Amino acid sequence: MQNPYQQPDRQPDRQPDRQPDRQPDRPGGPAARISRRRLAAGICALTAMAVAAAATGVALGVRENRHRSAAAAAAAAADPTKPLVAGWKTVINPEHGTAFDVPPGWEVLEPQVFSGYEDTKDREKVLIGHTAPAFYKSRWCSVDANGDGQVSDVRLGNVGTKGAGGAKDPADIAVKEAPTWVYAAYTQPDKSVVTADKPVAYTTKSGVRGSYVRARSSGAKRTDRCAGDGQAVVFGFKNSRGDLVSWDFYGRTGVPGAVDDALIMRILSTVRLAGDPKDPGPGP
């Protein structure tokens, strides 16, 4: 096969065959038109090469981003204690074998800490709760809601994981739990102001598949200066043993500094499995 960069062998110099004398082409004549066509063709070729090069650059950039995401997911699988987002904190729940990351300004509590809500009508009944939580602005608002002298701190945002025994599938978890978090945290005893979206299939950065539901309240009664509307996002999935579990976020809405939807979804995207769970029980 001929080397494309090799110059062809030169033939011995010889005098060209004599051609009859011809007059130089006039401006606009056939030779001029041919030259313009060749110039236009050259410009088109160069433009096509430039476009192809730009497209190649975009494709390489997309592939590079995909490789980075894949590398981050692989690193999380190898060591789930390392955050997927640089500078963030990792929250591990060994009971359920789960992990996720939160921004540096969040407060990460011990895995055994339980965070939840009881029924205001029956203080012995826990409506919902989770363990290994992380709080955002844990003392955002403080109030003595019952007038008994005990001051309670209201958080602006809360996230954690819990077991979901009795659920049929990941979507069922999200459908049941998202409105329950909103009701328990913000609207008791009024369920009429709570609404929820349909479940959405979702896959996290590390490949955990499940479904999430977003619920919210509108018109919650302002029983004290800290009370008001809130929202919740619940993502149902399976841990490494196949147990149904959920990642839960809830927080106040309509106030300065409230956690926005983009950040909620970014935190959710970091949910991953973290080894074998310790306890297959249905509780938090």
Side-chain angles (χ1 to χ4, degrees), residues 145-269:
N146 300 324
D148 57 3
Q150 295 186 355
V151 176
S152 299
D153 295 321
V154 178
R155 296 173 288 276
L156 195 53
N158 186 319
V159 62
T161 49
K162 66 183 294 295
K168 297 182 296 183
D169 51 49
D172 186 47
I173 299 170
V175 167
K176 291 178 179 178
E177 292 186 2
T180 301
W181 276 110
V182 176
Y183 168 73
Y186 305 112
T187 75
Q188 290 193 67
D190 187 4
K191 292 183 178 180
S192 65
V193 296
V194 180
T195 59
D197 300 335
K198 293 182 179 180
V200 177
Y202 184 79
T203 302
T204 69
K205 287 182 178 180
S206 64
V208 176
R209 297 181 179 181
S211 296
Y212 73 85
V213 167
R214 186 186 303 274
R216 67 196 61 79
S217 69
S218 179
K221 188 176 180 181
R222 296 295 302 272
T223 55
D224 56 67
R225 66 187 185 88
C226 297
D229 288 314
Q231 69 168 332
V233 176
V234 172
F235 175 61
F237 60 103
K238 291 183 179 181
N239 62 19
S240 62
R241 189 165 45 200
D243 301 328
L244 290 169
V245 294
S246 70
W247 170 94
D248 320 294
F249 166 87
Y250 66 92
R252 283 279 275 114
T253 57
V255 294
V259 182
D260 61 31
D261 294 344
L263 181 55
I264 296 171
M265 296 306 296
R266 193 178 185 192
I267 296 172
L268 170 56
S269 73

Side-chain angles (χ1 to χ4, degrees), residues 72 81-91 100-108 205 263 266-267 270 272:
T81 64
K82 294 183 177 180
L84 296 184
V85 181
W88 283 27
K89 301 176 181 178
T90 297
V91 183
F100 60 90
D101 303 330
V102 293
W106 292 51
E107 178 185 355
V108 177
K205 287 182 178 180
L263 181 55
R266 193 178 185 192
I267 296 172
T270 67
R272 54 196 182 274

